Amino acid sequence: MDAKQIDFFNTFGFIKFPALLKEDIGWIQDEFEQVFPMFPKQKHDGSKRTMIVPFIDQREKLSGLLDHPAIRDILVSLLGSDYNYMGSDGNYYSGDTPWHPDGRERSRQHIKIAFYLDPLTAENGALRVIPGSHRFGDRFGEDVMAKVQQSQQAWGIPGSEVPAVALDVVPGDVLVFKHETFHSSWGGSGYRRMFTINASERFQGERALSELQSLCLMHYHYSRDHYYGRAMRESAGPERLKNLEQVMSLEADWADLTKHLPVL
Ligand SMILES: O=C(O)CCC(=O)C(=O)O
């Protein structure tokens, strides 16, 4: 990313890269379709969101997106070359997703890269973002935080009419936003395909590892004995390993810590 793109991202809390993966989108869609049958319990029927976590980790080729020069450039430009890969979810979304941020961690930057696999516009479920809503130290960010989920009560309008930018996409476009940025989607079908890559700056400071462990536990979703999937771990070369290493250094007994969660 160049300095202007980074400044745009820091100012507005999101950025779109049109056609970034235009050459790759065919195999990405094929691989996406390969993952869901691996988890027969996660059969999507269009009635509600179906999610698989971790997602890209299930397949060697999808795991390799972390090594893709265009994706790596985004991650390294925004988070530094020692960034932490924080996981991935693969989804069939169904219907509306109300306004929300993904997190509000003050100590370090967290970003999401979103890959939508179907053409979407504002009318049929394109992701919407409120520019600047990540700035929760500002009055604006605080007002959005306090009122956007009750927009009818606060402003007399439904969530779908809250002023926002709709990020229309065609497959191959890539969206990136800060976890703090408020986002939503309205009017989509029962079969919106998308997956994400989440990443953060490396955790520093005295409590780094315990904070990292708490955050990882929040995103576990399913009982398993490794945070990262087998394909992700086993196909990682030395460069990617640097982005897995801090989470892998946690000496947690993940199977025990997550045994209360469902099994995929
Ligand atoms: O596309 C959607 O419906 C919402 C996506 C979303 O909320 C997310 O990835 O955090």
PDB file of all heavy atoms in Angstrom, residues 49 89 93 95-97 100 102 112 114 116 125 127 177 183-185 192 194 196, ligand 1:
ATOM      1  N   ARG A  49     -27.101 -17.458   9.163  1.00  0.00           N
ATOM      2  CA  ARG A  49     -25.673 -17.518   8.820  1.00  0.00           C
ATOM      3  C   ARG A  49     -25.083 -18.890   9.180  1.00  0.00           C
ATOM      4  O   ARG A  49     -25.346 -19.424  10.250  1.00  0.00           O
ATOM      5  CB  ARG A  49     -24.942 -16.433   9.625  1.00  0.00           C
ATOM      6  CG  ARG A  49     -23.439 -16.448   9.460  1.00  0.00           C
ATOM      7  CD  ARG A  49     -22.830 -15.411  10.399  1.00  0.00           C
ATOM      8  NE  ARG A  49     -21.387 -15.349  10.282  1.00  0.00           N
ATOM      9  CZ  ARG A  49     -20.617 -14.590  11.055  1.00  0.00           C
ATOM     10  NH1 ARG A  49     -21.147 -13.828  11.989  1.00  0.00           N
ATOM     11  NH2 ARG A  49     -19.299 -14.584  10.894  1.00  0.00           N
ATOM     12  N   ASP A  89     -12.804 -16.592   9.229  1.00  0.00           N
ATOM     13  CA  ASP A  89     -14.079 -17.305   9.221  1.00  0.00           C
ATOM     14  C   ASP A  89     -14.617 -17.344   7.801  1.00  0.00           C
ATOM     15  O   ASP A  89     -14.412 -16.418   7.017  1.00  0.00           O
ATOM     16  CB  ASP A  89     -15.102 -16.675  10.193  1.00  0.00           C
ATOM     17  CG  ASP A  89     -15.270 -15.187  10.011  1.00  0.00           C
ATOM     18  OD1 ASP A  89     -16.073 -14.793   9.147  1.00  0.00           O
ATOM     19  OD2 ASP A  89     -14.600 -14.412  10.716  1.00  0.00           O
ATOM     20  N   TYR A  93     -23.676 -15.949   4.535  1.00  0.00           N
ATOM     21  CA  TYR A  93     -24.533 -15.019   5.285  1.00  0.00           C
ATOM     22  C   TYR A  93     -25.954 -15.128   4.753  1.00  0.00           C
ATOM     23  O   TYR A  93     -26.178 -15.506   3.587  1.00  0.00           O
ATOM     24  CB  TYR A  93     -24.042 -13.577   5.130  1.00  0.00           C
ATOM     25  CG  TYR A  93     -22.993 -13.193   6.144  1.00  0.00           C
ATOM     26  CD1 TYR A  93     -21.650 -13.170   5.810  1.00  0.00           C
ATOM     27  CD2 TYR A  93     -23.356 -12.862   7.447  1.00  0.00           C
ATOM     28  CE1 TYR A  93     -20.682 -12.811   6.754  1.00  0.00           C
ATOM     29  CE2 TYR A  93     -22.403 -12.512   8.391  1.00  0.00           C
ATOM     30  CZ  TYR A  93     -21.069 -12.483   8.034  1.00  0.00           C
ATOM     31  OH  TYR A  93     -20.125 -12.141   8.964  1.00  0.00           O
ATOM     32  N   GLY A  95     -29.531 -12.830   4.807  1.00  0.00           N
ATOM     33  CA  GLY A  95     -30.295 -11.638   5.210  1.00  0.00           C
ATOM     34  C   GLY A  95     -29.412 -10.534   5.767  1.00  0.00           C
ATOM     35  O   GLY A  95     -28.229 -10.438   5.436  1.00  0.00           O
ATOM     36  N   ASP A  96     -30.035  -9.699   6.599  1.00  0.00           N
ATOM     37  CA  ASP A  96     -29.350  -8.492   7.104  1.00  0.00           C
ATOM     38  C   ASP A  96     -28.345  -8.806   8.211  1.00  0.00           C
ATOM     39  O   ASP A  96     -28.549  -9.716   9.001  1.00  0.00           O
ATOM     40  CB  ASP A  96     -30.382  -7.523   7.705  1.00  0.00           C
ATOM     41  CG  ASP A  96     -31.429  -7.067   6.690  1.00  0.00           C
ATOM     42  OD1 ASP A  96     -31.160  -7.158   5.472  1.00  0.00           O
ATOM     43  OD2 ASP A  96     -32.504  -6.610   7.136  1.00  0.00           O
ATOM     44  N   THR A  97     -27.279  -8.009   8.258  1.00  0.00           N
ATOM     45  CA  THR A  97     -26.366  -8.010   9.415  1.00  0.00           C
ATOM     46  C   THR A  97     -26.446  -6.612  10.016  1.00  0.00           C
ATOM     47  O   THR A  97     -26.037  -5.640   9.372  1.00  0.00           O
ATOM     48  CB  THR A  97     -24.903  -8.276   8.979  1.00  0.00           C
ATOM     49  OG1 THR A  97     -24.852  -9.498   8.253  1.00  0.00           O
ATOM     50  CG2 THR A  97     -23.982  -8.358  10.186  1.00  0.00           C
ATOM     51  N   HIS A 100     -22.533  -3.065  13.671  1.00  0.00           N
ATOM     52  CA  HIS A 100     -21.665  -3.465  14.799  1.00  0.00           C
ATOM     53  C   HIS A 100     -20.208  -3.200  14.427  1.00  0.00           C
ATOM     54  O   HIS A 100     -19.873  -3.171  13.248  1.00  0.00           O
ATOM     55  CB  HIS A 100     -21.851  -4.953  15.128  1.00  0.00           C
ATOM     56  CG  HIS A 100     -21.368  -5.856  14.036  1.00  0.00           C
ATOM     57  ND1 HIS A 100     -22.071  -6.059  12.868  1.00  0.00           N
ATOM     58  CD2 HIS A 100     -20.225  -6.580  13.903  1.00  0.00           C
ATOM     59  CE1 HIS A 100     -21.382  -6.879  12.075  1.00  0.00           C
ATOM     60  NE2 HIS A 100     -20.258  -7.196  12.681  1.00  0.00           N
ATOM     61  N   ASP A 102     -16.233  -4.929  15.167  1.00  0.00           N
ATOM     62  CA  ASP A 102     -15.773  -6.281  15.529  1.00  0.00           C
ATOM     63  C   ASP A 102     -14.966  -6.290  16.811  1.00  0.00           C
ATOM     64  O   ASP A 102     -14.671  -7.353  17.349  1.00  0.00           O
ATOM     65  CB  ASP A 102     -14.932  -6.877  14.385  1.00  0.00           C
ATOM     66  CG  ASP A 102     -15.816  -7.294  13.221  1.00  0.00           C
ATOM     67  OD1 ASP A 102     -17.037  -7.443  13.423  1.00  0.00           O
ATOM     68  OD2 ASP A 102     -15.290  -7.453  12.113  1.00  0.00           O
ATOM     69  N   LYS A 112      -9.534  -6.490   9.483  1.00  0.00           N
ATOM     70  CA  LYS A 112     -10.184  -7.615   8.807  1.00  0.00           C
ATOM     71  C   LYS A 112     -10.071  -7.410   7.306  1.00  0.00           C
ATOM     72  O   LYS A 112     -10.322  -6.315   6.801  1.00  0.00           O
ATOM     73  CB  LYS A 112     -11.654  -7.667   9.210  1.00  0.00           C
ATOM     74  CG  LYS A 112     -12.436  -8.771   8.507  1.00  0.00           C
ATOM     75  CD  LYS A 112     -13.847  -8.894   9.057  1.00  0.00           C
ATOM     76  CE  LYS A 112     -13.873  -9.731  10.325  1.00  0.00           C
ATOM     77  NZ  LYS A 112     -15.230  -9.990  10.822  1.00  0.00           N
ATOM     78  N   ALA A 114     -11.818  -8.765   3.959  1.00  0.00           N
ATOM     79  CA  ALA A 114     -13.048  -9.489   3.609  1.00  0.00           C
ATOM     80  C   ALA A 114     -13.070  -9.789   2.116  1.00  0.00           C
ATOM     81  O   ALA A 114     -12.834  -8.899   1.285  1.00  0.00           O
ATOM     82  CB  ALA A 114     -14.269  -8.655   4.003  1.00  0.00           C
ATOM     83  N   TYR A 116     -15.577 -11.160  -0.640  1.00  0.00           N
ATOM     84  CA  TYR A 116     -16.955 -11.517  -1.011  1.00  0.00           C
ATOM     85  C   TYR A 116     -16.899 -12.217  -2.365  1.00  0.00           C
ATOM     86  O   TYR A 116     -16.201 -11.758  -3.276  1.00  0.00           O
ATOM     87  CB  TYR A 116     -17.835 -10.268  -1.069  1.00  0.00           C
ATOM     88  CG  TYR A 116     -18.223  -9.782   0.317  1.00  0.00           C
ATOM     89  CD1 TYR A 116     -17.419  -8.897   1.013  1.00  0.00           C
ATOM     90  CD2 TYR A 116     -19.373 -10.262   0.939  1.00  0.00           C
ATOM     91  CE1 TYR A 116     -17.757  -8.469   2.299  1.00  0.00           C
ATOM     92  CE2 TYR A 116     -19.725  -9.836   2.225  1.00  0.00           C
ATOM     93  CZ  TYR A 116     -18.922  -8.949   2.890  1.00  0.00           C
ATOM     94  OH  TYR A 116     -19.262  -8.544   4.157  1.00  0.00           O
ATOM     95  N   GLY A 125     -27.073  -6.480  -0.327  1.00  0.00           N
ATOM     96  CA  GLY A 125     -26.225  -6.996   0.758  1.00  0.00           C
ATOM     97  C   GLY A 125     -24.770  -6.581   0.731  1.00  0.00           C
ATOM     98  O   GLY A 125     -23.970  -7.139   1.503  1.00  0.00           O
ATOM     99  N   LEU A 127     -21.449  -4.870   1.786  1.00  0.00           N
ATOM    100  CA  LEU A 127     -21.030  -4.387   3.096  1.00  0.00           C
ATOM    101  C   LEU A 127     -21.120  -2.859   3.132  1.00  0.00           C
ATOM    102  O   LEU A 127     -20.699  -2.188   2.181  1.00  0.00           O
ATOM    103  CB  LEU A 127     -19.582  -4.815   3.360  1.00  0.00           C
ATOM    104  CG  LEU A 127     -19.089  -4.539   4.783  1.00  0.00           C
ATOM    105  CD1 LEU A 127     -19.660  -5.572   5.760  1.00  0.00           C
ATOM    106  CD2 LEU A 127     -17.563  -4.553   4.858  1.00  0.00           C
ATOM    107  N   PHE A 177     -11.052  -3.454   6.584  1.00  0.00           N
ATOM    108  CA  PHE A 177     -11.516  -2.448   7.543  1.00  0.00           C
ATOM    109  C   PHE A 177     -10.939  -2.717   8.917  1.00  0.00           C
ATOM    110  O   PHE A 177     -10.489  -3.825   9.217  1.00  0.00           O
ATOM    111  CB  PHE A 177     -13.042  -2.330   7.564  1.00  0.00           C
ATOM    112  CG  PHE A 177     -13.814  -3.593   7.864  1.00  0.00           C
ATOM    113  CD1 PHE A 177     -14.200  -3.907   9.154  1.00  0.00           C
ATOM    114  CD2 PHE A 177     -14.168  -4.470   6.834  1.00  0.00           C
ATOM    115  CE1 PHE A 177     -14.934  -5.060   9.427  1.00  0.00           C
ATOM    116  CE2 PHE A 177     -14.900  -5.629   7.101  1.00  0.00           C
ATOM    117  CZ  PHE A 177     -15.280  -5.920   8.395  1.00  0.00           C
ATOM    118  N   HIS A 183     -19.954  -1.582  10.770  1.00  0.00           N
ATOM    119  CA  HIS A 183     -20.322  -2.105   9.454  1.00  0.00           C
ATOM    120  C   HIS A 183     -21.624  -2.898   9.557  1.00  0.00           C
ATOM    121  O   HIS A 183     -22.021  -3.318  10.650  1.00  0.00           O
ATOM    122  CB  HIS A 183     -19.186  -2.943   8.866  1.00  0.00           C
ATOM    123  CG  HIS A 183     -18.673  -4.035   9.764  1.00  0.00           C
ATOM    124  ND1 HIS A 183     -17.868  -3.794  10.857  1.00  0.00           N
ATOM    125  CD2 HIS A 183     -18.868  -5.378   9.737  1.00  0.00           C
ATOM    126  CE1 HIS A 183     -17.575  -4.933  11.450  1.00  0.00           C
ATOM    127  NE2 HIS A 183     -18.166  -5.925  10.807  1.00  0.00           N
ATOM    128  N   SER A 184     -22.258  -3.103   8.401  1.00  0.00           N
ATOM    129  CA  SER A 184     -23.542  -3.807   8.374  1.00  0.00           C
ATOM    130  C   SER A 184     -23.801  -4.240   6.932  1.00  0.00           C
ATOM    131  O   SER A 184     -23.016  -3.925   6.023  1.00  0.00           O
ATOM    132  CB  SER A 184     -24.668  -2.870   8.835  1.00  0.00           C
ATOM    133  OG  SER A 184     -24.873  -1.869   7.853  1.00  0.00           O
ATOM    134  N   SER A 185     -24.911  -4.927   6.738  1.00  0.00           N
ATOM    135  CA  SER A 185     -25.302  -5.325   5.387  1.00  0.00           C
ATOM    136  C   SER A 185     -26.826  -5.467   5.366  1.00  0.00           C
ATOM    137  O   SER A 185     -27.419  -5.972   6.329  1.00  0.00           O
ATOM    138  CB  SER A 185     -24.631  -6.655   5.053  1.00  0.00           C
ATOM    139  OG  SER A 185     -25.343  -7.324   4.058  1.00  0.00           O
ATOM    140  N   ARG A 192     -25.170 -15.414   0.766  1.00  0.00           N
ATOM    141  CA  ARG A 192     -24.040 -14.522   0.465  1.00  0.00           C
ATOM    142  C   ARG A 192     -22.743 -15.178   0.933  1.00  0.00           C
ATOM    143  O   ARG A 192     -22.554 -15.414   2.116  1.00  0.00           O
ATOM    144  CB  ARG A 192     -24.207 -13.180   1.192  1.00  0.00           C
ATOM    145  CG  ARG A 192     -24.643 -12.094   0.289  1.00  0.00           C
ATOM    146  CD  ARG A 192     -24.868 -10.756   0.947  1.00  0.00           C
ATOM    147  NE  ARG A 192     -25.312 -10.795   2.305  1.00  0.00           N
ATOM    148  CZ  ARG A 192     -24.595 -10.357   3.331  1.00  0.00           C
ATOM    149  NH1 ARG A 192     -23.400  -9.847   3.147  1.00  0.00           N
ATOM    150  NH2 ARG A 192     -25.100 -10.401   4.549  1.00  0.00           N
ATOM    151  N   MET A 194     -18.853 -15.322   1.772  1.00  0.00           N
ATOM    152  CA  MET A 194     -17.675 -14.488   2.066  1.00  0.00           C
ATOM    153  C   MET A 194     -16.790 -15.162   3.089  1.00  0.00           C
ATOM    154  O   MET A 194     -17.233 -15.976   3.874  1.00  0.00           O
ATOM    155  CB  MET A 194     -18.059 -13.082   2.524  1.00  0.00           C
ATOM    156  CG  MET A 194     -18.569 -12.939   3.939  1.00  0.00           C
ATOM    157  SD  MET A 194     -17.226 -12.722   5.150  1.00  0.00           S
ATOM    158  CE  MET A 194     -17.105 -10.952   5.258  1.00  0.00           C
ATOM    159  N   THR A 196     -13.020 -14.286   5.615  1.00  0.00           N
ATOM    160  CA  THR A 196     -12.201 -13.184   6.132  1.00  0.00           C
ATOM    161  C   THR A 196     -10.812 -13.671   6.518  1.00  0.00           C
ATOM    162  O   THR A 196     -10.600 -14.867   6.754  1.00  0.00           O
ATOM    163  CB  THR A 196     -12.824 -12.600   7.417  1.00  0.00           C
ATOM    164  OG1 THR A 196     -12.784 -13.598   8.435  1.00  0.00           O
ATOM    165  CG2 THR A 196     -14.249 -12.148   7.205  1.00  0.00           C
TER     166      THR A 196
HETATM  167  O1  LIG B   1     -21.423  -9.217   5.159  1.00  0.00           O
HETATM  168  C1  LIG B   1     -22.002  -9.191   6.239  1.00  0.00           C
HETATM  169  O2  LIG B   1     -23.203  -9.475   6.350  1.00  0.00           O
HETATM  170  C2  LIG B   1     -21.327  -8.748   7.501  1.00  0.00           C
HETATM  171  C3  LIG B   1     -19.870  -9.027   7.605  1.00  0.00           C
HETATM  172  C4  LIG B   1     -19.396  -8.789   8.991  1.00  0.00           C
HETATM  173  O3  LIG B   1     -20.091  -8.306   9.839  1.00  0.00           O
HETATM  174  C5  LIG B   1     -18.030  -9.143   9.370  1.00  0.00           C
HETATM  175  O4  LIG B   1     -17.307  -9.797   8.614  1.00  0.00           O
HETATM  176  O5  LIG B   1     -17.631  -8.762  10.478  1.00  0.00           O
END
